[in-house]
Amino acid sequence: MSSKNERLRDEILKRSGVNPKKCMRCGKCSATCPAYDEMEYHPHQFVSMVENGDIEPLINSKGIYRCLSCFACVDRCPRGVEPAKLVEAVRLEVIRKQGANHLTADGVEAFLDGEIPQQAIVSALRKYSK
Amino acid sequence: MLRKRTKMMKVSYFPGCTLKNKAVQLDIYARKCAEALGVSLEEIENWQCCGGVFSTAKDEIATKLSSVRALKEAKEKNRPLVTVCSACHNVIKQTNHAMSTDAEFAGKVNRYMAEDTDYAGETEVMHYLEMLRDLVGFDKIKEKVVKPLTGKKIAAYYGCLLLRPNSVMKMDNPENPRIIEDLIRALGAEPVMYANRNECCGGYVIMESPSLAEKKSQAVVENAKSAGAEIITTACPLCRYNLLKNGADIPVIYFTELLAQALGLKEDTDEQ
Ligand code: SF4
Ligand code: SF4
């Protein structure tokens, strides 16, 4: 593993608090994930890829914005690995970079249909921008 | 014979920004019903938006301060902190859990806030539904029902935020919850059981992939309807929005509205 990848892996593991070594590769997390079809890499792959320092592909995947933060993968993992925390940690790695906001105030405007609750807007802004 | 007048219980209340705006029905009936059931909801002073979603990242500090401030105020008043919006509840409860279990994180937050006293997760965080179950009691609610919702087939929609992560939320069995069904029964209606009641509606991803939210929401509505539901009830403004936006053709109403109808505090208009 290159030292850059090693640094990135350590950072993601620290930020998430996840221990990927607990994973037994059963795939339950991915089987239950409601965003499965829209993620190039599925929850169990986040676990193994982060462990191997193979993080660049995750950073460039659209799946990090499609995770619903539903915590199904957290509750239904038999080993308490909590893959959603890795998705969150990788997404933050991206949106914390200057100019890397995935959603802007202008982008929000398209969704203002008079009914959308504030909760949706503040949540999306928190997930997609800094 | 005169019934003994019971003293009002006081709890701290965090309404949240959505309840002050698009989800006023959730808020006003929460207050009216609580009053009728002997609980006084004392609104936190100068509360700020919870942010809608909890970040599980240990190095996200600033986004959690509004929750910690509300928790701290409840602690000073020595009261539980009650929320009714599923999202606020999830954020505040997860923040509280992090403050009590992650000393490094709590240390950073306390240093950031730089106040005289530190906070370490002492406040009890309670959803309004738990308040009904654990402080008031569904039996007592049943006694107070004046207009039972007899014959109505109602599907409880939990979504994710009330139940997960279960290690923190601890409201109910996350795979087979019953708290809302028990409330529905107490109000005289018939709960409808269906598999998707604890699956996600798509949440905020409606702003990123509307088609994903559409699929998830439609699956919930179809599943509830095929089990015989005439009404869907929820505690979450975003769940309600997603279900209605994606074609729900039966009413989707807040559980506080059902409660208010049964307690005789709201007309049954079935309005949307
Ligand atoms: S939290 Fe994200 S990754 Fe985990 S099951 Fe839900 S959508 Fe999938
Ligand atoms: S459910 Fe848990 S143990 Fe199984 S693959 Fe996913 S993270 Fe690993």
Side-chain angles (χ1 to χ4, degrees):
Chain A
M1 198 185 303
S2 73
S3 61
K4 183 185 166 227
N5 283 350
E6 203 169 317
R7 198 170 34 79
L8 204 50
R9 178 199 60 190
D10 293 348
E11 184 63 33
I12 299 284
L13 291 181
K14 182 157 190 280
R15 182 177 302 147
S16 63
V18 167
N19 175 6
K21 293 200 170 62
K22 289 197 288 186
C23 174
M24 59 176 184
R25 316 246 182 277
C26 67
K28 256 196 161 180
C29 51
S30 296
T32 197
C33 174
Y36 185 91
D37 291 344
E38 305 222 357
M39 294 174 90
E40 309 90 312
Y41 304 106
H42 303 118
H44 74 284
Q45 289 168 298
F46 270 78
V47 178
S48 56
M49 289 168 77
V50 170
E51 183 173 17
N52 297 329
D54 194 10
I55 294 165
E56 229 22 69
L58 300 176
I59 282 182
N60 293 313
S61 70
K62 72 175 190 316
I64 53 176
Y65 308 109
R66 300 290 161 94
C67 163
L68 306 161
S69 303
C70 73
F71 293 107
C73 60
V74 171
D75 268 17
R76 293 170 188 163
C77 165
R79 302 290 277 256
V81 177
E82 309 190 312
K85 295 185 174 178
L86 293 175
V87 183
E88 175 80 1
V90 172
R91 189 195 316 99
L92 285 168
E93 189 62 34
V94 180
I95 63 170
R96 279 180 184 170
K97 298 226 160 66
Q98 210 182 357
N101 282 345
H102 187 69
L103 178 70
T104 59
D106 285 349
V108 168
E109 239 171 86
F111 291 93
L112 301 181
D113 60 1
E115 291 296 327
I116 194 160
Q118 287 69 20
Q119 177 195 351
I121 299 162
V122 295
S123 301
L125 284 171
R126 190 152 280 184
K127 283 285 172 183
Y128 299 143
S129 61
K130 270 288 153 198
Chain B
M1 216 196 329
L2 269 179
R3 277 186 71 176
K4 206 172 86 195
R5 218 188 132 80
T6 42
K7 223 173 86 214
M8 289 290 274
M9 254 181 292
K10 274 191 189 160
V11 298
S12 289
Y13 176 54
F14 183 98
C17 54
T18 305
L19 272 69
K20 290 291 177 186
N21 201 311
K22 288 289 180 285
V24 284
Q25 312 93 301
L26 191 52
D27 180 55
I28 47 179
Y29 294 113
R31 290 173 195 266
K32 281 190 183 172
C33 295
E35 200 75 23
L37 295 169
V39 185
S40 150
L41 302 180
E42 311 264 318
E43 189 165 329
I44 293 278
E45 276 169 49
N46 304 318
W47 56 266
Q48 293 163 312
C49 174
C50 73
V53 277
F54 177 76
S55 175
T56 53
K58 291 171 179 293
D59 55 359
E60 275 288 304
I61 305 296
T63 52
K64 288 161 186 156
L65 298 177
S66 63
S67 294
V68 176
R69 285 197 190 96
L71 287 160
K72 230 175 153 174
E73 184 181 319
K75 178 191 162 185
E76 276 150 24
K77 299 204 163 133
N78 199 17
R79 293 175 189 158
L81 180 57
V82 171
T83 47
V84 62
C85 168
S86 302
C88 297
H89 177 65
N90 188 284
V91 171
I92 293 173
K93 191 141 186 179
Q94 291 213 63
T95 304
N96 202 42
H97 184 259
M99 291 299 289
S100 64
T101 56
D102 185 340
E104 193 183 331
F105 168 77
K108 282 185 197 156
V109 170
N110 282 316
R111 277 195 295 282
Y112 200 104
M113 292 183 60
E115 291 176 4
D116 295 345
T117 55
D118 281 354
Y119 182 74
E122 295 91 341
T123 299
E124 184 186 2
V125 183
M126 206 180 245
H127 190 268
Y128 192 94
L129 284 161
E130 294 171 301
M131 181 192 90
L132 295 179
R133 180 188 62 192
D134 305 335
L135 286 187
V136 180
F138 288 140
D139 289 350
K140 162 116 181 272
I141 293 173
K142 199 172 171 184
E143 282 170 23
K144 296 240 173 181
V145 167
V146 293
K147 286 192 191 159
L149 310 177
T150 314
K152 289 200 172 158
K153 292 196 166 81
I154 306 177
Y157 180 45
Y158 290 86
C160 325
L161 296 168
L162 285 178
L163 302 169
R164 291 192 291 262
N166 179 51
S167 58
V168 179
M169 303 311 291
K170 295 191 180 110
M171 175 187 275
D172 207 338
N173 178 341
E175 301 303 344
N176 192 16
R178 57 177 298 168
I179 186 167
I180 305 180
E181 284 81 4
D182 285 346
L183 174 65
I184 290 170
R185 271 186 218 102
L187 304 181
E190 187 188 321
V192 171
M193 299 305 255
Y194 63 111
N196 277 36
R197 65 203 171 109
N198 63 343
E199 299 299 335
C200 185
C201 68
Y204 57 83
V205 172
I206 190 156
M207 296 181 71
E208 160 73 15
S209 171
S211 63
L212 177 56
E214 187 180 2
K215 258 190 268 171
K216 298 301 149 190
S217 292
Q218 284 180 350
V220 172
V221 174
E222 286 316 312
N223 190 220
K225 275 170 57 184
S226 67
E230 299 159 352
I231 296 172
I232 295 174
T233 192
T234 175
C236 181
L238 183 49
C239 289
R240 179 174 182 268
Y241 174 79
N242 275 342
L243 298 193
L244 290 173
K245 181 87 184 172
N246 293 301
D249 51 2
I250 54 174
V252 182
I253 63 177
Y254 295 120
F255 74 96
T256 53
E257 297 178 87
L258 294 174
L259 178 60
Q261 281 170 23
L263 295 178
L265 303 170
K266 176 183 187 281
E267 291 303 308
D268 175 8
T269 49
D270 272 356
E271 93 278 37
Q272 282 291 297

